[in-house]
Structure formats: structure tokens, C-alpha cells
Amino acid sequence: MAKILVVDDEADLELLVKQKFRKKIRENVYEFVFAQNGEEALEKVKEHPDLDIILSDINMPVMDGLTLLSRLPEANPMLKAVVVSAYGDLQNIRVAMNRGAFDFVTKPVDFEDLDLTMEKTIQHVRQLQETIKAIKENDILKMYVDENVLNFMTHKEFETSLLKNEVLEATMMFVDVCGFTAITENVPANTVVTLINNIFDKIVKEIVAQGGLVDKFMGDAVMAVFRGEYHLDRAIDAALAARSHIAEMQPVTAGDKTYQPQVAIGINSGEVVSGNIGSASLKRLDYTVIGDAVNMAQRLQSAAKGGQIIISEATYEKAKESFNCQKIGEVKLKNKANMVTIYEVVE
């Protein structure tokens, strides 16, 4: 239903409008609100933020229609006005259009023509509303979905290849905020949320700066994927920078306990399958990577202590020329049959 404000000081106009548009009023196509001058119209605009269009006369007491046109952008920039006036000379039409009128209808009113003009104006307003809504939704979506995923979704092949995937070489990084579960027992919930968001923000900035993709947040952990040239080097650079920023954070005191933010990081490179994982019939998909190399990265993170960046021996062989690493030794990782040799990235 379109909501229309009629602004005119003629006493019998309200009754005439209701008569001429009675069918569309009954069918909930139109809803009319009435005002007798521009000042009253601005009050109605405040009272009815869901107004779509205005039909306004020019010659009215208190505030004329041309002044009203100049005030509308401030009151409601989405509103479009159609001037309905007996003063249909070229000068008034030009002034009205220059002040933002969408169209101009002369009196005596041809109500069929007015109806068509209203439909055209309403359609234009609806298009504007849909555009603004899409922009807002897109801005909100960007808060939840990585920009690389959004770019992928705009490809014309996206919907026809929802469950297709690709095999590629990539580096996965898992970052866990150490000791965070314990602090949640002693700190108010809003403080906990603020703290974890601050920590995540520092981590994500370094991931993005190195061209990484934030795959997901998992409680107090972050999973990131690095693809393309030098993906391993970029992942380690991001990990080193994130660790440094977290170490510089001020400690948090809760009662008699003090919490110093730290992260434990696991990094692994290898072949993965990238694509949409989930159910197409339920339209619930997750654009991610899967494979043993991903599982290994998560296991390495679980073996890391606070402040450590842990890599596998195979990843060490690729990184040793660029980074200073120290051998830790063999460890038993979950769901791995054999012992795994791990290294710590120092700098």
C-alpha cells in the first residue's frame, strides 16, 4: 500500500480525493493523509515516516508549496512530491522542478492522469527504497561475509555451480585466544564480548593486510586461508604481526585475577578442496576449504602454547629460508597415527 500526503487548503479537496480513489482505498492500494499548508505537511511527514509521495498545491497560507519543496529533503529525502496547482505557468513549473518536484499536474485535475502520475512516482520511490535497502543489506553482509566470498558470489556462474569445487595449494592458519574460557567466568558478559572483539579485530586486520581470507570465527578462535603467490610467507607474516599486536595489549583484571591476552597459532600448507560445502536443497552453504592439510593446521594450533606459532616439518622445509624457526620435537596429534615433528616460528 502506498501512503500519500495531500497538501491543499481547499476545504472540499479531501472529500473529492476520497471519492475519486475510493476503490483503491478499499483495496488497500492507497492510503491518504491530509494537510492544509506546508507547515502542517512537515508535521505530518514527522508523524508518518512511511509516507511515499506528496501531492501539493502551490498557493497556500502559512507556508506555500514551493517553500515546502525546499524543506522536504531535510525532512525526508526519500519523499517525492508532485505539484498539483492551477498556477501551471512555465515559471512556476520551472521553480517547482528546480526545487525537487518529481512532476507537475495542473488544475482542474484530470484524476485519471493524476492516478497515472501517482503510479509512476510511487514506482520511482519503490525503486529508490529497494536500492537503499540493497545498499544497507550489502553493508551488513560485508560484516558477516569475507569480501573475497562476496566477489565470488557476483560471478554469473555462481548459482549454476553451487556445489562445484576446486583443488588448490593454500596455507591455513588457526588462531586461538588462550585462556579466554577461564576469564569468562569472572568478567561481565559485555566486557567479554568487547575484549574478544578487540582481539579479533587486531588479528583480522593482519590477515586482510596479507591478502588472507577469514574463513570463519569459532568461539574464541579464527580460521584463515591464504591463496595465491607466496601464500605461506603471507600467512606467517600475518601470524607474527597479530602475535605482536596481541602481546602489546593491556592486561585485564577481574577480581584477584589478571588476564594477559595471548594467542596460540597453527599454520600448515598443502593441497585442499575449496568450494561451497553444505546442502543446496536447504540453501545453507559454507564457502570454505577442506582436506587433511586443513585438519593438520588445526591440530598444530591445539599443540601450540600461548605466544607460539607452530608449523609442521613439511611446512618448515618451505619456510626455513625466509623465517627463523626452532625445532620443538615430536608430538602426538589428535587423529594422527604417527608422531609429528613440529617447529616454532620465532621471527
Side-chain angles (χ1 to χ4, degrees), residues 47-89:
E47 293 173 16
H48 302 273
D50 55 341
L51 283 168
D52 293 299
I53 67 171
I54 292 178
L55 305 179
S56 177
D57 194 8
I58 290 180
N59 189 23
M60 296 178 292
V62 186
M63 182 187 292
D64 63 76
L66 296 178
T67 304
L68 172 62
L69 286 173
S70 65
R71 299 279 297 277
L72 280 181
E74 182 182 353
N76 185 341
M78 292 295 295
L79 268 176
K80 294 298 176 185
V82 175
V83 175
V84 183
S85 174
Y87 296 90
D89 58 277

Side-chain angles (χ1 to χ4, degrees), residues 302-316:
S302 65
K305 298 176 182 178
Q308 285 188 323
I309 302 169
I310 300 300
I311 59 176
S312 66
E313 187 170 26
T315 302
Y316 164 74

Side-chain angles (χ1 to χ4, degrees), residues 17 42 51 93 128 161 170 172 184 186 189 206 208-209 213 231 237 242 251 260 263 290 292 297 308 329 338:
V17 168
L42 291 175
L51 283 168
I93 292 175
L128 288 176
S161 60
M172 282 58 62
T184 60
N186 303 291
E206 297 306 326
V208 173
L213 182 154
H231 53 80
D237 280 336
Q260 177 62 55
V263 288
I290 60 173
D292 185 63
Q308 285 188 323
N338 301 319

Side-chain angles (χ1 to χ4, degrees), residues 184-199:
T184 60
E185 300 173 359
N186 303 291
V187 176
N190 60 334
T191 304
V192 170
V193 172
T194 300
L195 177 59
I196 194 69
N197 283 341
N198 287 339
I199 294 173

Side-chain angles (χ1 to χ4, degrees), residues 39-318:
E39 188 173 288
E40 187 180 337
L42 291 175
E43 291 299 320
K44 295 293 184 180
V45 170
K46 290 181 182 179
E47 293 173 16
H48 302 273
D50 55 341
L51 283 168
D52 293 299
I53 67 171
I54 292 178
L55 305 179
S56 177
D57 194 8
I58 290 180
N59 189 23
M60 296 178 292
V62 186
M63 182 187 292
D64 63 76
L66 296 178
T67 304
L68 172 62
L69 286 173
S70 65
R71 299 279 297 277
L72 280 181
E74 182 182 353
N76 185 341
M78 292 295 295
L79 268 176
K80 294 298 176 185
V82 175
V83 175
V84 183
S85 174
Y87 296 90
D89 58 277
L90 184 59
Q91 179 63 25
N92 274 313
I93 292 175
R94 284 185 60 82
V95 173
M97 302 304 283
N98 287 334
R99 295 193 183 188
F102 185 78
D103 210 333
F104 199 109
V105 175
T106 57
K107 293 182 178 179
V109 178
D110 180 337
F111 279 92
E112 288 187 8
D113 177 63
L114 177 61
D115 195 14
L116 290 174
T117 303
M118 290 163 57
E119 288 180 359
K120 179 183 68 174
T121 310
I122 291 165
Q123 183 180 12
H124 178 76
V125 170
R126 291 283 187 263
Q127 289 172 347
L128 288 176
Q129 291 170 344
E130 288 298 319
T131 300
I132 296 299
K133 180 182 177 184
I135 291 171
K136 289 181 178 178
E137 289 175 347
N138 189 55
D139 287 341
I140 293 171
L141 186 61
K142 286 179 180 178
M143 297 181 186
Y144 291 89
V145 183
D146 189 275
E147 187 174 354
N148 292 315
V149 178
L150 290 176
N151 291 337
F152 168 75
M153 291 166 63
T154 60
H155 294 170
K156 62 180 180 181
E157 301 88 356
F158 175 69
E159 291 191 10
T160 59
S161 60
L162 280 178
L163 295 183
K164 289 185 180 180
N165 52 64
E166 59 176 327
V167 178
L168 53 90
E169 287 287 325
T171 296
M172 282 58 62
M173 179 171 74
F174 284 81
V175 185
D176 181 69
V177 181
C178 302
F180 198 77
T181 303
I183 197 175
T184 60
E185 300 173 359
N186 303 291
V187 176
N190 60 334
T191 304
V192 170
V193 172
T194 300
L195 177 59
I196 194 69
N197 283 341
N198 287 339
I199 294 173
F200 279 166
D201 192 49
K202 296 180 186 298
I203 296 169
V204 168
K205 282 180 179 178
E206 297 306 326
I207 293 170
V208 173
Q210 293 296 335
L213 182 154
V214 177
D215 187 283
K216 60 176 68 70
F217 295 97
M218 303 168 292
D220 55 4
V222 183
M223 173 186 170
V225 182
F226 294 80
R227 307 168 57 162
E229 291 187 331
Y230 301 104
H231 53 80
L232 174 57
D233 285 15
R234 290 187 285 110
I236 295 177
D237 280 336
L240 289 168
R243 181 181 67 178
S244 176
H245 287 310
I246 302 305
E248 293 171 356
M249 292 184 67
Q250 294 297 315
V252 177
T253 301
D256 59 347
K257 295 183 179 180
T258 299
Y259 172 71
Q260 177 62 55
Q262 280 189 313
V263 288
I265 303 173
I267 295 176
N268 190 51
S269 288
E271 187 178 86
V272 297
V273 178
S274 174
N276 288 293
I277 310 299
S279 170
S281 59
L282 289 177
K283 300 185 183 299
R284 180 65 178 89
L285 300 170
D286 191 9
Y287 185 71
T288 187
V289 291
I290 60 173
D292 185 63
V294 182
N295 298 335
M296 174 63 81
Q298 189 169 31
R299 302 289 181 265
L300 291 170
Q301 181 276 307
S302 65
K305 298 176 182 178
Q308 285 188 323
I309 302 169
I310 300 300
I311 59 176
S312 66
E313 187 170 26
T315 302
Y316 164 74
E317 291 298 329
K318 300 174 184 176

